[in-house]
Amino acid sequence: MSNRAESFLVGLIGDGVMPSLTPLMHEREGDRQGLRYLYRPIDLGEIDVPAAAVGELLTAAFRLGFNGLNITHPCKQLVLDHLDEVSPDARKLGAVNTVVIRDGRLIGHNTDCSGFGAALSSGLPDAKLSRVVQLGAGGAGSAVAYALLMAGAQTLDLVDMDTARCAERAVELSALFPDRTITARTTAELPRLMLLADGLVHCTPTGMAAHPGTPLEPSLLESRHWVADIVYRPIETELVREAKAKGCDVLDGGRMAVGQAADSFRIFTGLEADAERMRAHFLELVAAEGVTV
């Protein structure tokens, strides 16, 4: 039977996911492809269930006939113990954000990584990758760093307020990419690092409506730099605005959000999503809600 004759039931497990734009993006793309596609948020806070119960939620989804689930904070690591199979990239990252239920098995993927990779190749196809500075080495930062190295970054300077976490991430990535140079740096080193860098990637909460500001002094940006932000609410963060004003090539956070959604859609359905169509819808949704957290 063709996928187009089937219905799809998918969900999103995480804390505080009710405002997520992901369900709307998936359902619209399903409509455009002639699918019966239903996507429901499963908010841990709303149903008063701890993150440690993610395995029970997966079992329930399996029994209820779900086709798959997206997984977000704080369950991306916890979910690993409850899967039958994990993709190589997700295994290396130690985090899963997409679980497909197929032939009675739970299979985990990481589309944060592939989503940023797709965003970079489509939004900044000519970005130089000899040396890149990345701000933030947390969960999302780990996936982005991996994607940058997969895309060909030769030297990656990780900068994080949590120096221990930053150092640990650099060691982990160096083991996976022994032919590259991956360093753990401090914010005090940014002036020197930006002089050497081709581009900057931002992976911290700074710039969100609840955390206004820029993650570094705008004076450190030069027109020769490319700048990528993964914050997308608002879509034009202060960093994006400052970078555009300096004449930098810029990648807004919506590109990664759409990239990971498009990849998850493909994993769930076996059909290619129209990423540009999804991005247009995403931008409509963001514009409609204004600046939100």
Side-chain angles (χ1 to χ4, degrees):
M1 181 181 291
S2 166
N3 277 338
R4 294 177 189 277
E6 297 177 8
S7 61
F8 291 87
L9 175 61
V10 300
L12 170 63
I13 295 175
D15 190 25
V17 299
M18 296 307 291
S20 174
L21 302 181
T22 300
L24 295 171
M25 282 196 289
H26 274 251
E27 290 186 340
R28 170 73 71 83
E29 183 61 18
D31 288 345
R32 293 289 180 85
Q33 298 214 23
L35 305 177
R36 293 185 176 185
Y37 197 103
L38 187 64
Y39 191 123
R40 285 291 176 260
I42 303 166
D43 195 308
L44 299 177
E46 293 283 328
I47 62 175
D48 195 24
V49 169
V54 64
E56 297 171 30
L57 293 175
L58 284 178
T59 298
F62 171 77
R63 289 174 175 168
L64 290 170
F66 274 68
N67 298 91
L69 296 153
N70 280 130
I71 310 292
T72 190
H73 177 79
C75 299
K76 290 184 183 182
Q77 288 78 39
L78 295 171
V79 75
L80 286 164
D81 292 335
H82 306 284
L83 303 175
D84 298 302
E85 183 182 336
V86 178
S87 73
D89 286 347
R91 179 67 67 188
K92 290 173 183 176
L93 286 165
V96 160
N97 80 328
T98 301
V99 176
V100 64
I101 302 172
R102 184 169 294 139
D103 300 325
R105 305 179 78 239
L106 303 173
I107 305 167
H109 299 264
N110 190 303
T111 67
D112 286 334
C113 173
S114 60
F116 183 81
L120 186 68
S121 64
S122 65
L124 291 173
D126 300 319
K128 294 180 180 178
L129 296 170
S130 294
R131 188 160 189 163
V132 179
V133 172
Q134 179 177 312
L135 306 180
S142 178
V144 168
Y146 185 87
L148 283 167
L149 293 161
M150 288 292 289
Q154 296 301 302
T155 297
L156 180 62
D157 297 310
L158 298 174
V159 179
D160 196 286
M161 298 291 286
D162 187 333
T163 55
R165 176 173 69 179
C166 193
E168 181 180 355
R169 192 74 71 228
V171 169
E172 291 169 351
L173 290 168
S174 294
L176 295 173
F177 297 90
D179 60 332
R180 313 296 175 82
T181 301
I182 300 138
T183 71
R185 303 289 187 170
T186 66
T187 54
E189 297 177 85
L190 278 173
R192 182 177 65 84
L193 294 174
M194 290 304 295
L195 287 174
L196 303 171
D198 296 309
L200 173 77
V201 183
H202 173 236
C203 304
T204 84
T206 303
M208 293 180 179
H211 304 278
T214 57
L216 82 170
E217 281 296 323
S219 61
L220 299 180
L221 297 175
E222 301 176 32
S223 60
R224 64 181 182 81
H225 289 135
W226 56 266
V227 175
D229 202 338
I230 71 166
V231 174
Y232 64 85
R233 282 168 140 170
I235 192 72
E236 186 168 271
T237 60
E238 290 185 51
L239 175 62
V240 165
R241 192 160 53 247
E242 292 283 356
K244 286 180 177 178
K246 289 288 184 73
C248 302
D249 289 330
V250 174
L251 186 74
D252 65 65
R255 288 278 182 184
M256 178 177 173
V258 171
Q260 71 88 7
D263 283 352
S264 293
F265 184 94
R266 173 181 48 78
I267 291 168
F268 292 148
T269 67
L271 301 169
E272 290 295 332
D274 186 327
E276 287 306 313
R277 182 167 65 196
M278 289 184 79
R279 176 169 169 80
H281 181 218
F282 171 83
L283 293 175
E284 288 175 16
L285 293 171
V286 172
E289 69 181 8
V291 178
T292 68
V293 294

